[in-house]
Amino acid sequence: MKHIRNFCIIAHIDHGKSTLADRLLEFTHTIQITEGQMLDDMELERERGITIKSHAIQMEYELNGETYVLNLIDTPGHVDFSYEVSRSIAACEGALLVVDASQGVQAQTISNLYMAIEHDLEIIPIINKCDMPSANPDAVEDEIVDLLGCKRDEIIRASAKTGMGVDEILRAVVERIPCPVGDEQAPLQCLIFDSVFNSFRGIIAYFKVENGIIRTGDKVKFFNTGKEYDADEVGVLKMDMIPRKELRTGDVGYIISGIKTSTEVKVGDTITHVSRPCEKAIEGFEESKPMVFAGVYPIEAEDYENLRSSLEKLQLNDASLSFFPESSLALGFGFRCGFLGLLHMEIVQERLDREFDMSVITTVPNVSYNVYDKQGNVTEVHNPGGMPDPTLIDHIEEPYIRASVITATDYIGPIMTLCLGKRGELVKQEYVSGGRVEITYLMPLGEIVIDFYDKLKSISKGYASFDYHPAGYRPSKLVKLDILLNGEPVDALSTLTHVDNAYDLGRRMCEKLKELIPRQQFDIAIQAAIGGKIIARETVKQVRKDVTAKCYGGDVSRKRKLLEKQKKGKKRMKQIGNVEVPQKAFLAVLKLD
């Protein structure tokens, strides 16, 4: 155990985590690097250049004639995948904190760092990209010293691209990060921190051995679900899975036990022996709290069961996704899914399409609200369709977040205007160092769900960084905005919005739908309504032809008679004709600016 080190790499987006991981693997001769970001093996990750999943891999490193086993977990940097980071941190004793030499400390750097400090990890600060012409390592060093309170000589200057400082990093991992603590003689306790689905071998769980020893062929049970299995194969994770006879305390590895149903594996569960079980489960990590909810519906109604199994398999690999069944008048049966943010939602949609070949319709994303009725009972409402009658509601509370934005001082004005426009309240404003400032706001989560991050990036020319944490619920004046087509409400387009924004949003939605709904043989009235009150209206004009063209000459009553007949026909058509809302319209409503 003295020769094992478990550590992860944490940083803000694009500060060079995955490239550094490549260099460490190359330096320890674990694999031959053929292309960049070897651990990001998902097609989507390669395309977008971001890490979506945490990746665990084992390396061997020799120092002073002794061989050390290093278990590295590379983590994502985007705020929407912070749950992946928290799970990786729970399985480690140390962390490499990577900071870009030209960007300095950013919002996500700070939030990931606090997460690591809460778990008592040993932090090794690294300044990356020191070879860049725009690098300013001295200023960044000052920021890190302010943030961590560490000594200057503890900070390692490196460049993941050129390989500078990699040897020093590996030496620091061995010398500074403590070895895992645990008792090999105690009953077996392993913490599951991730799982994947393999169509040939069933579900493969990744775990860290906290106490005891696990051998191939052991009878094991999962503590929380109480299910028992045979450990058909245990082993360690390199680029491929490598079987081993046994894994001892402190090791990180995988177990294959022929599990077929995805609900039987819970991330954060404990594996123990059937014959000699442990007293209690390991203190796992907290459940993820979904921030954004959206309905996901199959395009073909008969694909409902396929969608369910696809979501279950995806949930194994992405424990922060949650879903439960719901139905809608316009779209039939589907699922209400909880995501950590908009990027997370987009990635899940893409993965459903690519990995499971499922084309889905996604409704307007929204957040969950607490609705109090006149008797004081509370119901949690995830979608506007579930709102009780307005006459029964006493008040509604909406979720708030504590948002921290780090930016250069030049952009403070526009960013404050943006936050105030989203009903934000300024909490504090601190100067970090060298012309950079951290602004903290309390804001409603519903306001930042759709386009806040994009606007922030464009206002600050890409320099501002953004991070948020839930800050409880607050009472708020919210109304349900319905969209009616020919008097019929379309439940997939209704939204909950603040009173002040309702008129403006209703008008813009009607205008947008007018452009997108195809013309019929009769007029289509598009209306926005709050309760029984219509606040905006647009009309899609009918496709007309000149029916009186053949009535030339003669008495005018002939034309009138024909037009009356025409009018009755139109009226009948309007009663039985239904209006299809194209998928394009659902998406366009999201991107209303």
Side-chain angles (χ1 to χ4, degrees):
M1 241 162 66
K2 286 210 293 282
H3 291 100
I4 296 177
R5 300 286 182 273
N6 298 320
F7 68 101
C8 58
I9 307 182
I10 54 177
H12 191 79
I13 312 161
D14 281 345
H15 282 203
K17 294 179 294 299
S18 300
T19 314
L20 180 62
D22 280 358
R23 282 297 84 69
L24 295 172
L25 294 175
E26 192 174 48
F27 200 86
T28 53
H29 308 296
T30 307
I31 49 170
Q32 207 62 43
I33 303 288
T34 50
E35 54 184 326
Q37 272 82 19
M38 291 293 285
L39 290 181
D40 290 354
D41 50 8
M42 208 188 296
E43 200 183 328
L44 258 178
E45 293 180 314
R46 291 269 162 91
E47 260 176 44
R48 291 176 177 240
I50 55 175
T51 304
I52 294 169
K53 284 286 304 163
S54 299
H55 299 273
I57 191 163
Q58 193 179 83
M59 311 181 282
E60 283 170 10
Y61 175 61
E62 212 167 286
L63 182 68
N64 308 334
E66 295 191 27
T67 305
Y68 292 88
V69 172
L70 310 182
N71 291 312
L72 153 74
I73 301 180
D74 176 31
T75 64
H78 199 282
V79 60
D80 279 13
F81 304 116
S82 55
Y83 187 60
E84 287 282 326
V85 183
S86 75
R87 288 171 21 204
S88 312
I89 285 174
C92 294
E93 282 84 34
L96 305 182
L97 179 75
V98 179
V99 182
D100 187 325
S102 50
Q103 305 264 3
V105 171
Q106 291 189 288
Q108 208 53 38
T109 317
I110 296 174
S111 98
N112 287 343
L113 170 69
Y114 286 156
M115 222 188 293
I117 289 172
E118 271 170 35
H119 283 79
D120 288 341
L121 299 199
E122 178 64 39
I123 310 285
I124 301 177
I126 296 166
I127 300 179
N128 191 19
K129 306 191 185 182
C130 285
D131 60 320
M132 303 240 307
S134 60
N136 187 356
D138 297 334
V140 176
E141 209 166 81
D142 294 340
E143 287 180 24
I144 294 175
V145 171
D146 285 350
L147 186 65
L148 278 175
C150 59
K151 297 189 182 71
R152 279 183 186 280
D153 55 4
E154 287 176 12
I155 302 171
I156 301 171
R157 294 191 181 189
S159 161
K161 202 169 171 186
T162 60
M164 156 192 157
V166 173
D167 191 28
E168 210 180 321
I169 293 171
L170 286 165
R171 189 180 291 267
V173 166
V174 171
E175 288 168 359
R176 294 194 218 166
I177 292 177
C179 59
V181 287
D183 180 3
E184 286 199 352
Q185 306 309 318
L188 176 72
Q189 275 185 313
C190 308
L191 175 73
I192 299 178
F193 65 87
D194 203 354
S195 55
V196 292
F197 180 80
N198 182 312
S199 45
F200 300 108
R201 316 216 44 187
I203 291 154
I204 303 168
Y206 297 164
F207 62 87
K208 175 190 175 190
V209 186
E210 299 276 350
N211 292 308
I213 300 175
I214 184 169
R215 297 181 173 87
T216 305
D218 281 355
K219 288 258 313 159
V220 293
K221 82 167 180 183
F222 286 26
F223 205 89
N224 290 345
T225 56
K227 295 276 199 299
E228 300 183 358
Y229 307 101
D230 291 323
D232 298 336
E233 186 183 302
V234 294
V236 295
L237 298 155
K238 296 221 169 170
M239 263 332 252
D240 299 315
M241 293 185 262
I242 297 174
R244 289 279 152 93
K245 287 273 183 290
E246 61 176 27
L247 292 179
R248 310 179 82 88
T249 302
D251 278 330
V252 171
Y254 69 91
I255 177 169
I256 298 176
S257 49
I259 306 170
K260 294 287 182 286
T261 32
S262 47
T263 46
E264 291 175 22
V265 179
K266 281 268 184 290
V267 167
D269 201 350
T270 304
I271 305 175
T272 186
H273 279 135
V274 173
S275 54
R276 191 178 161 216
C278 54
E279 301 281 309
K280 60 180 199 314
I282 304 167
E283 291 295 315
F285 17 78
E286 67 278 2
E287 288 279 309
S288 74
K289 284 200 180 64
M291 291 286 193
V292 177
F293 294 89
V296 173
Y297 294 86
I299 287 178
E300 300 297 332
E302 58 265 24
D303 287 343
Y304 176 71
E305 281 304 322
N306 296 350
L307 180 59
R308 182 198 292 275
S309 66
S310 305
L311 282 167
E312 280 174 358
K313 286 173 189 168
L314 197 56
Q315 197 177 28
L316 278 176
N317 199 254
D318 178 356
S320 51
L321 171 70
S322 60
F323 63 93
F324 42 90
E326 72 161 8
S327 62
S328 136
L329 294 171
L331 300 167
F333 289 101
F335 295 93
R336 191 101 203 133
C337 297
F339 307 98
L340 294 185
L342 271 204
L343 177 70
H344 185 206
M345 175 176 137
E346 208 177 303
I347 295 294
V348 166
Q349 234 175 313
E350 279 275 298
R351 286 183 70 182
L352 279 173
D353 185 30
R354 292 187 183 194
E355 293 169 30
F356 304 100
D357 205 14
M358 290 293 317
S359 312
V360 292
I361 292 177
T362 313
T363 62
V364 182
N366 56 9
V367 297
S368 61
Y369 298 95
N370 286 343
V371 179
Y372 289 80
D373 62 14
K374 298 275 167 61
Q375 282 75 42
N377 303 325
V378 192
T379 40
E380 194 175 300
V381 173
H382 295 303
N383 65 337
M387 283 286 282
D389 191 88
T391 52
L392 306 175
I393 298 174
D394 183 51
H395 67 280
I396 303 176
E397 289 187 345
E398 66 174 333
Y400 265 68
I401 54 160
R402 195 183 173 87
S404 88
V405 178
I406 296 183
T407 173
T409 41
D410 317 358
Y411 307 115
I412 292 181
I415 287 175
M416 284 189 158
T417 313
L418 173 70
C419 293
L420 290 171
K422 299 279 184 192
R423 301 190 286 142
E425 296 168 24
L426 182 63
V427 179
K428 62 173 184 182
Q429 181 177 340
E430 283 185 80
Y431 283 85
V432 185
S433 68
R436 288 174 61 232
V437 64
E438 180 180 4
I439 315 171
T440 309
Y441 268 93
L442 270 179
M443 297 167 79
L445 178 64
E447 293 280 342
I448 69 149
V449 158
I450 292 179
D451 57 355
F452 179 79
Y453 192 67
D454 297 348
K455 283 185 176 168
L456 180 71
K457 281 290 184 200
S458 56
I459 284 175
S460 63
K461 301 193 172 57
Y463 279 113
S465 61
F466 168 69
D467 185 44
Y468 61 83
H469 296 283
Y473 284 76
R474 285 178 166 205
S476 173
K477 281 188 176 172
L478 296 166
V479 290
K480 181 182 172 191
L481 180 71
D482 283 315
I483 297 292
L484 313 175
L485 293 181
N486 280 346
E488 291 290 319
V490 181
D491 58 349
L493 287 173
S494 53
T495 48
L496 280 175
T497 179
H498 195 263
V499 171
D500 301 348
N501 305 343
Y503 282 87
D504 186 39
L505 180 67
R507 200 189 68 249
R508 292 201 325 246
M509 277 172 89
C510 288
E511 285 168 2
K512 194 76 189 166
L513 286 170
K514 183 184 176 182
E515 294 169 24
L516 294 166
I517 290 178
R519 289 169 71 185
Q520 306 279 355
Q521 300 240 325
F522 49 89
D523 280 357
I524 302 170
I526 305 168
Q527 294 164 310
I530 296 174
K533 186 180 176 191
I534 304 291
I535 57 170
R537 168 175 174 140
E538 292 287 336
T539 310
V540 178
K541 283 293 180 201
Q542 60 193 19
V543 185
R544 308 182 66 126
K545 83 172 193 199
D546 191 354
V547 287
T548 55
K550 61 179 184 283
C551 299
Y552 55 91
D555 190 41
V556 73
S557 58
R558 286 177 63 206
K559 284 187 182 175
R560 204 158 286 147
K561 197 169 157 190
L562 194 54
L563 287 171
E564 284 301 321
K565 191 173 157 194
Q566 187 82 4
K567 203 167 169 184
K568 280 186 193 144
K570 293 280 184 200
K571 195 173 173 186
R572 202 164 54 243
M573 193 188 279
K574 192 168 181 173
Q575 282 166 354
I576 58 168
N578 63 344
V579 185
E580 289 286 315
V581 182
Q583 167 69 3
K584 220 166 46 192
F586 289 113
L587 297 176
V589 171
L590 302 190
K591 298 195 167 65
L592 272 181
D593 192 28

